[in-house]
Amino acid sequence: MKNTISALRKRVVGEIIPIEAENSRTTQNGKADYAIDLDFLTKSDIIPKRTDDNSATPWLKIFLGKIHCIQKVMRYDSDGTAFQNWTCNAENGCDSCQGDFCDEFESNISFEGELVDVDSFPDCIHGDTVKYKKVGGDVLGCKITEIAIIGLYDCETVDSTWSNVVAEPALPVVHGTTLTLSCEEGYIKQGGNTATCLNGQVVSTGTTPKCRHNDEVKHGAALAIDTYLDSGAYTTADSAGRYWLKLTLDEVYCVEKVTWFFGNGSPLKTWKCTEDDCSDCSDCSTYTLTVTVDGAGVSELAPVPGCRYGNVVMLERTDGSSLNVIEMAVFGKEEADCTSLEPSWGNVKPSQLLPVVHGTTLTLKCPEGTTNPEEIKATCLYGQVISTSEPLDCNEPYRSRSSHIMNRLLDLVQNSQLEGLSLGPCSEEVPTTLDSGDVV
């Protein structure tokens, strides 16, 4: 039983409005535009062109006026039901059809106008022209009541909350287009730098893009260290496209950690330092933080475990997005007296009694009665006595020259090299031979 319908068809969600149609051969009563006029009472004839061998196939072309990403091509019968439903995708084209006589027709998407470089998406095909062709059965032709083309929406504008954000290429753009985001002159870019048109909506590939006034008073670097949580530093890219924040300290410190704070005062990220770098940070893959020395003198300082010397802290964002810092704090290792030496240094003795205050230089040497006469310098740094020299070995006891000779003679007797040798104080016998180097 046929449905009772209005003579005019209502457009479906996502339907693209064509600008004109053309068929392989026009008849007075079956104009090509009848297939797109929303009228169920008119029909477009598609019949082949006249050829000597009747080899031409009948077709209908529908022009969309600009590029769209097309998902479906639907053909309607005069009672309003879907006669055929063609589904399109980037991999297979529009070769999936549900309905009647699908094997006798083809639907193809093509470019008739200027080609535009757009990203390929799996769920649709970009094009500005749909060609519907009869390829089987009675190739003499047929009548088409209505064709509807459904696609993903173009993007006309960016999100209304993205004030002063400029998109390139200029809108409108088709589904799948990648956009570069920037700011109008006099504004600082924040958030994501690229976006994609997805079914009518421009979606940022990073954080929400914003443009703030380029005002040093309101957004300058100094606001990242002013201890106020209602202000912040907002950076623009340098000439190399890098986003960074540089903190210069009043002197060289041994930095233990650097913390970046949320606006509510809780830590956002914390970098912990060693004597080599400050790379220990959780979920910080898009940032680098370095502590360096600007100036001379640090080479004279002995490395301290758990901190790094520096008077310059540099935070850089590495994913190309802007860098916005509410508040940062740099924590140096606390100065403390030194109360003892490293246990592994054995019985090394300092030149003055411990404890000593931070920064005190000490001379370390072995105690009397050991064989090592060397001395090394060390410094009390942050509660630890630290030296850049190799540790002294004070474990071998010291022996005088006479005791060395006596020990050598004992060795000779034990090895039967001196027979009849008496080691008493009244002996008149002397060894007949001695090893070279033995001196009496």
Side-chain angles (χ1 to χ4, degrees):
M1 178 178 177
K2 296 289 185 179
N3 295 331
T4 301
I5 61 168
S6 168
L8 294 179
R9 180 176 68 83
K10 292 183 179 180
R11 295 197 187 277
V12 297
V13 175
E15 183 171 351
I16 300 167
I17 301 175
I19 59 170
E20 64 177 333
E22 175 186 315
N23 53 19
S24 52
R25 181 177 166 191
T26 302
T27 64
Q28 184 63 32
N29 296 323
K31 297 179 181 179
D33 287 342
Y34 287 164
I36 56 172
D37 63 358
L38 302 178
D39 190 344
F40 284 117
L41 300 181
T42 60
K43 292 179 174 40
S44 172
D45 292 331
I46 59 168
I47 55 178
K49 290 183 177 181
R50 292 189 178 94
T51 60
D52 293 339
D53 57 359
N54 294 321
S55 61
T57 57
W59 50 261
L60 172 72
K61 273 187 183 180
I62 300 174
F63 301 98
L64 308 179
K66 61 180 182 179
I67 295 172
H68 294 270
C69 206
I70 298 165
Q71 288 184 303
K72 291 183 178 182
V73 177
M74 299 182 66
R75 176 181 169 184
Y76 290 92
D77 213 339
S78 57
D79 62 358
T81 59
F83 180 72
Q84 290 172 348
N85 186 345
W86 299 82
T87 301
C88 309
N89 60 66
E91 182 178 358
N92 300 313
C94 301
D95 64 349
S96 175
C97 175
Q98 293 181 332
D100 299 330
F101 305 105
C102 286
D103 58 337
E104 296 183 11
F105 293 87
E106 285 183 358
S107 259
N108 297 302
I109 311 299
S110 62
F111 290 93
E112 294 280 335
E114 181 182 356
L115 285 174
V116 177
D117 185 18
V118 292
D119 295 333
S120 176
F121 276 77
D123 54 353
C124 59
I125 302 177
H126 285 101
D128 60 9
T129 304
V130 176
K131 187 173 184 179
Y132 183 74
K133 182 167 60 173
K134 188 167 178 25
V135 294
D138 181 6
V139 295
L140 294 178
C142 64
K143 294 182 179 294
I144 299 175
T145 304
E146 278 292 311
I147 294 284
I149 300 163
I150 293 89
L152 297 174
Y153 290 108
D154 296 347
C155 294
E156 304 287 340
T157 61
V158 298
D159 192 295
S160 60
T161 63
W162 298 4
S163 56
N164 304 304
V165 173
V166 178
E168 180 65 33
L171 301 175
V173 295
V174 300
H175 170 84
T177 302
T178 298
L179 300 147
T180 300
L181 306 179
S182 60
C183 291
E184 297 175 1
E185 186 175 355
Y187 288 82
I188 295 175
K189 179 73 178 55
Q190 295 177 260
N193 293 323
T194 59
T196 304
C197 173
L198 297 174
N199 197 20
Q201 183 178 3
V202 178
V203 178
S204 172
T205 53
T207 56
T208 302
K210 296 178 182 178
C211 292
R212 295 179 180 268
H213 283 286
N214 188 8
D215 189 328
E216 188 69 20
V217 175
K218 293 181 178 179
H219 309 297
L223 299 179
I225 54 171
D226 64 353
T227 71
Y228 290 100
L229 296 173
D230 57 355
S231 64
Y234 303 96
T235 65
T236 55
D238 63 13
S239 58
R242 299 164 55 225
Y243 291 86
W244 50 267
L245 176 68
K246 179 180 177 181
L247 307 180
T248 302
L249 311 180
D250 61 341
E251 61 180 271
V252 173
Y253 292 89
C254 201
V255 178
E256 279 192 309
K257 65 179 181 179
V258 180
T259 299
W260 177 2
F261 292 95
F262 277 114
N264 61 7
S266 61
L268 171 61
K269 299 181 186 299
T270 295
W271 287 265
K272 297 178 182 178
C273 302
T274 66
E275 59 188 79
D276 298 318
D277 59 42
C278 298
S279 60
D280 183 3
C281 182
S282 177
D283 193 27
C284 299
S285 60
T286 57
Y287 300 90
T288 59
L289 185 133
T290 57
V291 174
T292 56
V293 174
D294 183 11
V298 72
S299 60
E300 302 171 2
L301 298 174
V304 179
C307 65
R308 178 168 174 77
Y309 289 116
N311 58 0
V312 175
V313 177
M314 176 78 85
L315 173 64
E316 182 175 353
R317 185 158 187 170
T318 58
D319 63 354
S321 297
S322 58
L323 180 61
N324 313 308
V325 179
I326 299 299
E327 195 67 25
M328 286 190 73
V330 182
F331 298 87
K333 197 172 184 68
E334 185 177 356
E335 295 182 0
D337 296 346
C338 295
T339 59
S340 63
L341 302 181
E342 283 290 326
S344 61
W345 291 1
N347 56 350
V348 173
K349 300 298 182 183
S351 58
Q352 62 188 92
L353 293 176
L354 301 178
V356 294
V357 299
H358 171 84
T360 302
T361 299
L362 301 166
T363 299
L364 303 180
K365 58 184 179 180
C366 294
E368 293 183 8
T370 57
T371 59
N372 193 342
E374 295 182 5
E375 295 181 351
I376 61 173
K377 297 294 184 182
T379 307
C380 174
L381 296 172
Y382 308 98
Q384 302 176 70
V385 177
I386 296 175
S387 174
T388 57
S389 302
E390 289 292 327
L392 292 173
D393 181 6
C394 300
N395 294 321
E396 184 179 353
Y398 175 75
R399 294 185 296 177
S400 67
R401 183 172 183 78
S402 60
S403 64
H404 171 74
I405 294 173
M406 292 299 293
N407 287 333
R408 176 60 180 152
L409 292 173
L410 285 171
D411 290 340
L412 292 172
V413 170
Q414 290 171 357
N415 293 327
S416 301
Q417 295 183 26
L418 296 176
E419 296 181 1
L421 175 63
S422 173
L423 299 180
C426 298
S427 173
E428 295 180 356
E429 298 182 24
V430 294
T432 57
T433 62
L434 293 175
D435 290 346
S436 60
D438 291 330
V439 179
V440 192

